[in-house]
Amino acid sequence: SSFSALSMAVNELVLGHSDMVITGGADTMNDIFMYMCFSKTPALSKTGDCRPLSANADGTMLGEGLAFVALKTLERAEADGDQIYAVLKGVGTSSDGRSKSVYAPVSERQARAVQRAHEQAGYGPATVELVEAHGTGTIAGDAAEFGGLRLVYDDASDERQWCALGSVKSQIGHAKAAAGAAGLFKIVMALHHKVLPPTIKVDQPNPRFDIDNSPFYINTTRRPWVRGSDHPRRASVSSFGFGGSNFHLTLEEY
C-alpha cells in the first residue's frame, strides 16, 4: 500500500503536477478481526516470533507503525537548500497475475519489478550492496522472494555474497500497509549514515537459499558501510502485497 502511494507520488513529481509530495504508510489496525483474518491464511508464526530469512522461520507477526517521507525532484531539493537524505533512482512494479492463492507469491513476477526498477535507475544490481527484503518470515514467502532476487542478481556478477540482505520485520513485525514505508525508512537511514544495519534472530539462514553460492549474505551485525569511490552507495527495498502487487525501489546516497 505505501509503495503504491509512493509510485503515484513519483508520477506527480515527474509530470510536474506537484513540487513536493509527502507519502508513506500508516497501519495501527491490529484488532481481533485482523488476527482472525491472518490466522486463516495461514501466515502467522506458531511460535510467536518473526524470523525472516532464518532457518527457524515459521511465519510472521503483526506489527504497526507510521512512516512518511517528503519527496522532491533532486534539482528542486538542491535549489531549495533542503537536507537530502537519499536519492530515489527507480520504481519498479509488477503483478503476479493469476496464481494459486493471494498468499502464494511468484518469483518470476517479483523479479520483473526488480528488473524494471534497475532499468529506470540506469544501473544494474552488481553495484547494489544492500537489499531490504519484504522478508515476512513465512516459509513460502521468503523462499519465493529469494528466488526472485536470484533471478536478477545471479547473472549480474561472478562474485558471490557481495550484497547484504535483511528485513526490518525481524525487529518490528509485519506492519502491513506501513511495511514498505518502514523498510524504506531503514534503507534511507542506512545510506545517510553509511551503515549496514543488522537483521536479528538469524542464527542460520534458510538452507533452501543455498546462500553461500548466491550474491547475498544475511547481515546480522551493525557495520560501517565502507566502499570505494567508483560509484555512490546503492541500496534497494522490496514490498510485495497479497495477490501479487509487487514494488521494488532503487536508491543511492546523496
Side-chain angles (χ1 to χ4, degrees):
S1 301
S2 49
F3 280 5
S4 178
L6 185 140
S7 180
M8 294 173 67
V10 168
N11 289 340
E12 284 285 305
L13 296 172
V14 171
L15 292 170
H17 292 173
S18 300
D19 296 327
M20 180 180 75
V21 184
I22 297 175
T23 187
D27 197 320
T28 60
M29 193 172 151
N30 278 345
D31 58 8
I32 190 169
F33 180 72
M34 186 62 68
Y35 276 93
M36 287 171 63
C37 290
F38 266 85
S39 72
K40 302 297 182 185
T41 51
L44 294 180
S45 165
K46 292 180 175 63
T47 56
D49 209 348
C50 187
R51 307 179 189 89
L53 313 173
S54 169
N56 297 318
D58 68 343
T60 198
M61 285 296 292
L62 302 187
E64 59 185 22
L66 310 154
F68 290 89
V69 293
L71 300 179
K72 291 183 178 181
T73 64
L74 182 59
E75 181 181 22
R76 176 172 287 276
E78 289 177 330
D80 291 346
D82 292 325
Q83 168 71 66
I84 301 171
Y85 289 92
V87 182
L88 178 62
K89 300 293 289 184
V91 180
T93 68
S94 71
S95 169
D96 281 1
R98 186 175 181 180
S99 187
K100 292 181 292 184
S101 71
V102 297
Y103 48 85
V106 180
S107 298
E108 292 77 10
R109 298 301 180 92
Q110 292 182 359
R112 188 172 297 177
V114 178
Q115 290 167 335
R116 287 172 174 168
H118 281 286
E119 288 167 5
Q120 193 176 97
Y123 58 80
T127 59
V128 176
E129 294 170 331
L130 174 62
V131 170
E132 171 69 5
H134 186 53
T136 62
T138 62
I139 297 171
D142 283 4
E145 180 175 7
F146 194 82
L149 287 170
R150 288 200 69 163
L151 288 173
V152 180
Y153 276 71
D154 262 341
D155 295 333
S157 173
D158 293 331
E159 188 180 349
R160 300 289 85 180
Q161 296 196 298
W162 80 80
C163 184
L165 184 66
S167 172
V168 73
K169 292 179 182 65
S170 67
Q171 295 163 298
I172 66 169
H174 193 334
K176 307 182 296 300
L184 175 61
F185 186 86
K186 173 184 171 182
I187 289 300
V188 168
M189 289 294 101
L191 289 166
H192 179 64
H193 293 293
K194 300 176 175 56
V195 167
L196 293 169
T199 291
I200 62 175
K201 304 175 189 172
V202 185
D203 296 323
Q204 292 290 331
N206 188 326
R208 295 172 63 183
F209 295 169
D210 187 24
I211 201 163
D212 291 343
N213 297 311
S214 81
F216 304 100
Y217 64 94
I218 312 298
N219 191 52
T220 58
T221 305
R222 180 182 181 272
R223 298 187 293 120
W225 191 344
V226 179
R227 65 151 293 99
S229 58
D230 53 328
H231 63 78
R233 290 170 179 81
R234 289 172 174 160
S236 301
V237 52
S238 295
S239 193
F240 303 134
F242 273 155
S245 179
N246 304 321
F247 293 86
H248 188 77
L249 311 182
T250 50
L251 297 98
E252 279 185 352
E253 68 176 334
Y254 177 61

